[in-house]
Amino acid sequence: MKNKNRIIAVLIIVISFVLFSLSGYCWAQEQISQDNQDHTNGNGNTLFYQANSLYKEAKYKEAISAYEKLLDNNLVTGAVYYNLGNTYFKAGQRGRAILNYLRAGRLVPRDPDLRENLSYARSLIKGGQTPLKGGWIFKIWDDLCLSMTINETACLVSVFYLLAMIMLIICVLKRKTRKILRYFIIIS
């Protein structure tokens, strides 16, 4: 009877994991197809080029409006946030420039121009950058998050979830490992 209950528990865990994974996969595919439709329409590209032209002509307020309109139309890319950050910087709004550089960094974290502009904008802020509270663990976590794209972060979380599920299955099957693996599951 004990083995039958364990097998049923493992099956429930495996089925819930598979359903959870499939739902995440389906949602991601839907988002990708929506993004492709939004990015391939001519209106978004035309507006992006218009915003770039306004920026080159030093019409920063109009360029900001054009970039914001792109974001309102769900054309969310690293290039849009990067250009919006540059436009805010030229318009003298350094705080908003930094905000948009950080947003671009979540989409294109390894862009050297982005990092350079962000560093330069931060250096111009009076009082310097506010240090993170919480010690070295939070600094490492912040650096890790800023060095990964949203998709890479989602994959990392999925791997931790998979490891937690494997450990849970092992705990169900072997009672001796429960105490040892309980801490790992809590951490994951």
Side-chain angles (χ1 to χ4, degrees), residues 8-43:
I8 291 172
V10 168
L11 284 175
I12 290 172
I13 291 170
V14 169
I15 289 170
S16 66
F17 174 73
V18 169
L19 290 176
F20 178 77
S21 299
L22 285 176
S23 67
Y25 176 77
C26 293
W27 179 82
Q29 290 300 320
E30 180 181 336
Q31 290 298 110
I32 289 170
S33 67
Q34 253 182 1
D35 288 347
N36 288 339
Q37 287 175 355
D38 290 341
H39 289 48
T40 56
N41 66 10
N43 187 24

Side-chain angles (χ1 to χ4, degrees), residues 49-60 62-63 66:
Y49 291 124
Q50 286 175 352
N52 288 343
S53 296
L54 290 168
Y55 174 82
K56 288 177 186 173
E57 296 169 7
K59 296 179 181 177
Y60 301 125
E62 292 89 352

Side-chain angles (χ1 to χ4, degrees), residues 80-95:
V80 172
Y81 279 124
Y82 176 75
N83 289 356
L84 183 58
N86 287 340
T87 308
Y88 274 124
F89 185 82
K90 290 284 190 173
Q93 299 180 30
R94 292 188 183 113

Side-chain angles (χ1 to χ4, degrees), residues 4-181:
K4 185 177 179 180
N5 289 339
R6 285 185 184 175
I7 292 172
I8 291 172
V10 168
L11 284 175
I12 290 172
I13 291 170
V14 169
I15 289 170
S16 66
F17 174 73
V18 169
L19 290 176
F20 178 77
S21 299
L22 285 176
S23 67
Y25 176 77
C26 293
W27 179 82
Q29 290 300 320
E30 180 181 336
Q31 290 298 110
I32 289 170
S33 67
Q34 253 182 1
D35 288 347
N36 288 339
Q37 287 175 355
D38 290 341
H39 289 48
T40 56
N41 66 10
N43 187 24
N45 289 334
T46 304
L47 190 57
F48 183 74
Y49 291 124
Q50 286 175 352
N52 288 343
S53 296
L54 290 168
Y55 174 82
K56 288 177 186 173
E57 296 169 7
K59 296 179 181 177
Y60 301 125
K61 287 185 181 181
E62 292 89 352
I64 288 170
S65 295
Y67 287 124
E68 293 285 349
K69 189 173 180 181
L70 283 168
L71 294 172
D72 290 340
N73 291 333
N74 292 326
L75 186 67
V76 178
T77 65
V80 172
Y81 279 124
Y82 176 75
N83 289 356
L84 183 58
N86 287 340
T87 308
Y88 274 124
F89 185 82
K90 290 284 190 173
Q93 299 180 30
R94 292 188 183 113
R96 291 185 181 198
I98 291 170
L99 172 67
N100 284 289
Y101 288 147
L102 290 171
R103 288 176 176 167
R106 290 297 294 149
L107 300 170
V108 286
R110 291 177 280 278
D111 186 338
D113 293 332
L114 173 65
R115 287 186 179 261
E116 189 64 33
N117 286 3
L118 178 60
S119 176
Y120 181 67
R122 281 180 167 168
S123 72
L124 297 177
I125 299 294
K126 291 182 181 177
Q129 186 177 350
T130 305
L132 286 174
K133 294 182 179 180
W136 60 273
I137 293 175
F138 289 103
K139 179 163 179 19
I140 290 173
W141 179 254
D142 191 49
D143 291 342
L144 179 67
C145 288
L146 290 176
S147 68
M148 296 170 52
T149 65
I150 294 171
N151 291 338
E152 292 167 344
T153 304
C155 288
L156 182 65
V157 169
S158 297
V159 167
F160 280 125
Y161 178 76
L162 178 64
L163 289 174
M165 293 308 292
I166 290 170
M167 294 299 147
L168 186 61
I169 290 170
I170 291 172
C171 283
V172 168
L173 293 177
K174 295 189 178 189
R175 290 183 178 230
K176 293 178 184 177
T177 60
R178 282 186 184 173
K179 290 181 183 178
I180 297 169
L181 296 177

